[in-house]
Amino acid sequence: MEYTILILLLPFLSFILLGLLGTRLKPSVAGAAGTIVTGAVAILCYWTAFSYFGAGRDASGVFPTLIPWNTVWLPFGGSLHIDLGILLDPISVMMLIVISTVSLMVHIYSFGYMKGERGFQRYYAFLSLFTMSMLGLVLATNIFQMYIFWELVGVSSYLLIGFYYTKKEAVAASKKAFIVTRFADLGFLIGILIYGFYTGTFSFTPDAPALGAAKALLPLALGLMFIGGAGKSAMFPLHIWLPDAMEGPTPVSALIHAATMVVAGVYLVARMFPLFIGYAPEVLHITAYVGAFTALYAAVVACVQSDIKRVLAFSTISQIGFMIVALGVCTSADPHEGGLGYMASMFHLFTHAMFKALLFLGAGCIIHAVHSNEMSAMGGLRKYMPVTHITFLVACLAIAGIWPLSGFFSKDEILAACFRFSPVMGGIMTFIAGLTAFYMFRLYYCIFWGNENKELHAEHRPHEAPYSMTIPLIFLAAVTLFAGWIPFGEFVSSNGQAYHIHIDWTVAGISLCVAAAGIALATWMYLREDRTVADGLAVRFSGLHKAAYHRFYIDEIYQFITHRIIFACISTPVAWFDRHVVDGFMNLLALVTNKVSWLIKGIQSGNVQRYSIWVLGGALGIAIVLLLI
Amino acid sequence: MVHMEYYLIVSTIMMFAGIYGFLTRRNLLAMLISVELILNSVDINFAVFNRFLFPGQLEGFFFSLFAIGVSAAETAVAIAIIINIYRNMKNIQVRNLDKMKW
């Protein structure tokens, strides 16, 4: 399967080509080149998946881990070396499908969405760069290669968030995203170094003696790695960059900040899962609590946001919280014992990528039609945009967890895993699932039903998006409709053995009821023309509403800590010390040298005879000294 | 029999005359001549020491011959430099040649 190297090389070449030629290419040519390459990559990924899963299980009943291509890049001596290569196992192959599918859809969609934008070629170049780095991340053979591509993903995210670089908010958002994730990656790097130092390898699967030697420090290393994952996956309190990242073009939000990059943290935990479960189960459970809190927080905030992309961003954070919780509640590697969450998490990752990309692309169509992100500019759009309306509804039903859409199956597995861990966790997650249904349908009704902003729509009549934008919507909606029926446990499970998914109808019944209740509540509050109930509640609980609208002031707390404490109390004195003491000392040295040289430069008069007098005097002086000694 | 000291006295006088001239003459050509005086005094020393202290050997004579050859070459170079200075400055007075100061 050596051809898998092409999965990385093709988008890289496309990035180089588009990046170097830039505006010398016609926009349509650049877009077509990027899309064709991504299409080829997608075909390769599907073919890889087909042949990988088609080859079947080995004698012990698991899909073998293949390394079709590997090269030692940086040897450190002993068993410690950084490799670059390609690793195929069930989760990486599953991720290949997710990334290539969503990336291809976004490439096609961007033809319509980005039409006529300045920097169209640059946009496609960055998309190729992102695709390459994300594929490299999931195919990494060792933790360090993963880290390299992890940073590349961060850079491409930065470049794409700041795509509209003349817009001040976009620049600030890209900077924020980069700094926050980079700060978290510091933890990741330290974790990798501890891991590499004590186990003597960067491999994902060190041998038993190495692990025994590192046993005491593995929980620390894995915990630090999870901090990196939490930064990328926007776990509380490192989530602050994701809502702001919505300043980027909407297809980028769909690709990077909904479907692929933000699940890198989940993927990281899944990748290190055998170590987590074997050596640091308590750290794994901490991740579950972090995930659950994040999911709850984000769901509450999503209920009151007025910018549709922000709602979707918080919904993404909440859903990633679900995936992390599902991983965190695992108590053993056996899916029948307590490892169900692993499969559930990966399944939800897969289905969520599809329907969340669909939601974002749908939101892109809406923004394209009304030229605003605010709900107040929308309402009643179902008449103008039937295709967007139907596909958006499908995605909303999926994320709310309604049978038989894909979200139902994956969320049901997560809830079942949570109930198996503890009824409290299960109860909380079910409640959040209800909140999810509520805020998604609030969003849906506010966009497509309810009060129409007639003035605005009369001035600029909303219109259905072009085919290049609706075809990806239809495709993703089809995937969302049918992906739940994939026997996912047959491909991915915590110990690699085939796991037959059976729906626990008690859990499923509860979650369906809660979802239906959430939808019903949203329907009752937001379907009607007047919003008396909603407005009344907002006034009644004005403190809570305001706090949630301002995202519980987390950004302000960050602002306070960074500006008032770190900048004012640490950075300013340090800067003063640097400018006045350190620089002052150097300036003093320079000043003394300068003055002294002014004083003594008269000696160099250019007069040869005077020089020779000095020479003679010197020679005589030395002669006298030598004679006297 | 002329004693060695007489030769040395002559060469010493030549040496210091050369140094004095090198330091005080205002003309580059005169300075060059002074340098020649210094070199020749050294040549005399070579020859004298060889003649009186190591009578069976020839290294001192050879070395003075060698030094004469080198000083001829050096003179040629010096004259070339002086000619160039004259072409550029229309002047070979040492006092005016202070272009190479700080």
Side-chain angles (χ1 to χ4, degrees):
Chain A
M1 296 175 92
E2 281 75 22
Y3 59 84
T4 43
I5 189 69
L6 285 175
I7 294 177
L8 294 186
L9 286 182
L10 281 178
F12 183 65
L13 287 179
S14 142
F15 164 64
I16 297 281
L17 193 76
L18 295 179
L20 286 181
L21 292 179
T23 48
R24 261 165 281 178
L25 288 175
K26 270 171 67 181
S28 52
V29 176
T35 311
I36 288 167
V37 168
T38 316
V41 170
I43 291 168
L44 271 174
C45 289
Y46 288 137
W47 177 248
T48 307
F50 181 73
S51 43
Y52 179 79
F53 288 120
R57 298 163 182 279
D58 60 12
S60 57
V62 298
F63 285 108
T65 300
L66 300 178
I67 299 187
W69 197 84
N70 194 33
T71 170
V72 176
W73 178 57
L74 198 61
F76 290 117
S79 58
L80 197 62
H81 45 81
I82 299 178
D83 293 2
L84 289 181
I86 295 212
L87 178 136
L88 296 179
D89 72 346
I91 55 171
S92 73
V93 173
M94 185 274 292
M95 287 299 285
L96 285 187
I97 301 278
V98 172
I99 297 164
S100 59
T101 308
V102 178
S103 180
L104 180 61
M105 288 305 122
V106 164
H107 271 80
I108 295 170
Y109 181 90
S110 301
F111 257 103
Y113 189 83
M114 299 299 285
K115 199 175 178 195
E117 291 281 357
R118 214 171 135 253
F120 192 83
Q121 300 91 335
R122 181 164 56 93
Y123 174 83
Y124 270 93
F126 289 164
L127 277 189
S128 292
L129 174 67
F130 174 78
T131 310
M132 186 276 288
S133 6
M134 193 65 211
L135 290 167
L137 194 160
V138 298
L139 290 173
T141 55
N142 59 78
I143 189 84
F144 214 97
Q145 187 191 350
M146 197 170 174
Y147 181 70
I148 294 169
F149 282 97
W150 184 276
E151 292 299 335
L152 272 175
V153 167
V155 167
S156 24
S157 156
Y158 166 80
L159 292 170
L160 283 166
I161 297 170
F163 179 74
Y164 299 118
Y165 57 84
T166 49
K167 210 168 126 198
K168 216 170 128 211
E169 296 85 24
V171 174
S174 64
K175 223 159 58 180
K176 186 170 176 181
F178 193 74
I179 292 171
V180 173
T181 52
R182 199 62 203 80
F183 176 72
D185 292 347
L186 184 65
F188 189 16
L189 180 60
I190 297 171
I192 291 175
L193 295 181
I194 292 176
Y195 178 81
F197 187 79
Y198 286 98
T199 62
T201 171
F202 287 123
S203 154
F204 292 124
T205 48
D207 47 4
L211 279 174
K215 204 169 178 189
L217 281 149
L218 265 183
L220 177 66
L222 291 171
L224 285 167
M225 284 181 199
F226 174 69
I227 291 179
K232 271 276 184 288
S233 286
M235 288 293 106
F236 188 88
L238 295 168
H239 66 280
I240 51 162
W241 64 273
L242 188 56
D244 287 18
M246 297 300 132
E247 294 294 343
T250 308
V252 167
S253 309
L255 175 60
I256 301 183
H257 307 116
T260 56
M261 187 190 84
V262 289
V263 295
V266 181
Y267 182 76
L268 173 68
V269 177
R271 179 52 88 202
M272 306 308 279
F273 185 76
L275 296 180
F276 268 111
I277 206 80
Y279 295 89
E282 62 285 357
V283 178
L284 197 57
H285 299 329
I286 292 173
T287 67
Y289 297 121
V290 172
F293 183 75
T294 310
L296 179 62
Y297 162 84
V300 171
V301 174
C303 289
V304 295
Q305 296 296 310
S306 64
D307 178 329
I308 59 169
K309 282 185 77 182
R310 295 265 151 125
V311 175
L312 292 177
F314 277 104
S315 147
T316 307
I317 297 175
S318 179
Q319 296 300 310
I320 296 167
F322 266 90
M323 298 171 208
I324 291 279
V325 167
L327 281 172
V329 295
C330 288
T331 47
S332 92
D334 185 351
H336 298 282
E337 293 291 325
L340 173 63
Y342 180 89
M343 188 282 292
S345 172
M346 291 296 109
F347 194 12
H348 197 56
L349 192 163
F350 179 77
T351 57
H352 171 259
M354 300 302 168
F355 60 67
K356 190 47 74 66
L358 172 54
L359 282 169
F360 266 105
L361 295 183
C365 289
I366 295 156
I367 294 166
H368 192 70
V370 300
H371 301 288
S372 168
N373 283 7
E374 291 296 321
M375 283 180 188
S376 56
M378 299 161 191
L381 287 181
R382 68 184 185 285
K383 290 173 289 200
Y384 304 107
M385 323 177 67
V387 178
T388 311
H389 170 224
I390 297 297
T391 51
F392 204 87
L393 177 61
V394 167
C396 283
L397 287 169
I399 195 172
I402 299 297
W403 191 86
L405 296 161
S406 63
F408 166 77
F409 295 92
S410 54
K411 195 171 273 185
D412 177 64
E413 294 302 316
I414 291 181
L415 294 178
C418 290
F419 273 111
R420 231 177 257 187
F421 178 67
S422 84
V424 179
M425 186 63 102
I428 293 171
M429 296 319 284
T430 312
F431 172 68
I432 301 170
L435 270 183
T436 310
F438 171 74
Y439 69 68
M440 283 320 293
F441 274 85
R442 168 179 174 269
L443 179 71
Y444 166 73
Y445 287 125
C446 287
I447 295 172
F448 292 105
W449 300 74
N451 246 339
E452 191 179 341
N453 192 334
K454 291 215 171 65
E455 287 170 34
L456 203 70
H457 293 176
E459 192 181 306
H460 178 92
R461 199 180 146 77
H463 53 90
E464 183 59 278
Y467 285 119
S468 60
M469 290 164 76
T470 47
I471 287 170
L473 290 185
I474 294 165
F475 179 83
L476 286 170
V479 173
T480 304
L481 278 171
F482 300 114
W485 297 102
I486 296 173
F488 201 77
E490 305 287 339
F491 301 120
V492 177
S493 74
S494 47
N495 60 359
Q497 307 280 354
Y499 173 76
H500 187 66
I501 296 179
H502 40 77
I503 291 166
D504 181 347
W505 280 106
T506 338
V507 176
I510 297 171
S511 78
L512 270 178
C513 288
V514 171
I519 295 171
L521 186 64
T523 313
W524 181 60
M525 279 168 68
Y526 294 102
L527 182 57
R528 53 179 82 191
E529 291 281 309
D530 61 82
R531 297 273 164 77
T532 42
V533 185
D535 294 341
L537 279 175
V539 173
R540 182 90 176 275
F541 300 102
S542 62
L544 181 66
H545 182 267
K546 209 171 146 216
Y549 186 76
H550 289 108
R551 311 172 214 165
F552 294 101
Y553 303 105
I554 301 292
D555 284 80
E556 281 74 10
I557 293 171
Y558 267 96
Q559 199 78 6
F560 180 80
I561 291 175
T562 50
H563 280 102
R564 292 290 164 78
I565 297 177
I566 296 179
F567 289 177
C569 301
I570 301 173
S571 309
T572 314
V574 168
W576 184 90
F577 184 83
D578 182 51
R579 248 169 241 150
H580 293 91
V581 180
V582 179
D583 287 5
F585 181 68
M586 290 301 151
N587 287 342
L588 184 74
L589 281 184
L591 194 74
V592 169
T593 314
N594 197 0
K595 291 281 174 226
V596 171
S597 51
W598 269 100
L599 285 177
I600 61 174
K601 76 174 184 182
I603 297 171
Q604 188 142 12
S605 60
N607 190 331
V608 188
Q609 286 180 324
R610 192 158 299 161
Y611 294 169
S612 43
I613 287 175
W614 285 104
V615 172
L616 186 69
L620 283 177
I622 291 171
I624 289 166
V625 168
L626 288 178
L627 280 178
L628 288 181
I629 291 172
Chain B
M1 174 80 187
V2 182
H3 284 287
M4 192 172 89
E5 285 80 5
Y6 300 135
Y7 292 102
L8 292 183
I9 288 166
V10 170
S11 80
T12 310
I13 292 170
M14 276 172 72
M15 167 96 177
F16 281 99
I19 289 173
Y20 178 76
F22 184 76
L23 296 180
T24 54
R25 301 307 299 236
R26 293 182 183 171
N27 190 300
L28 275 180
L29 283 172
M31 278 176 74
L32 187 59
I33 291 166
S34 308
V35 171
E36 288 303 314
L37 268 179
I38 298 170
L39 284 168
N40 284 337
S41 76
V42 174
D43 288 347
I44 290 171
N45 273 12
F46 274 125
V48 167
F49 285 132
N50 194 356
R51 165 80 176 70
F52 286 93
L53 299 184
F54 307 99
Q57 288 155 329
L58 289 171
E59 279 91 345
F61 297 129
F62 284 140
F63 211 89
S64 52
L65 283 175
F66 185 64
I68 290 166
V70 170
S71 73
E74 170 255 313
T75 310
V77 173
I79 297 236
I81 291 171
I82 292 167
I83 290 170
N84 269 305
I85 288 175
Y86 181 75
R87 280 186 186 161
N88 282 313
M89 317 252 176
K90 302 283 170 231
N91 194 345
I92 49 170
Q93 294 300 310
V94 182
R95 195 163 295 217
N96 301 331
L97 302 178
D98 58 356
K99 284 267 154 135
M100 282 171 52
K101 70 177 174 189
W102 37 269

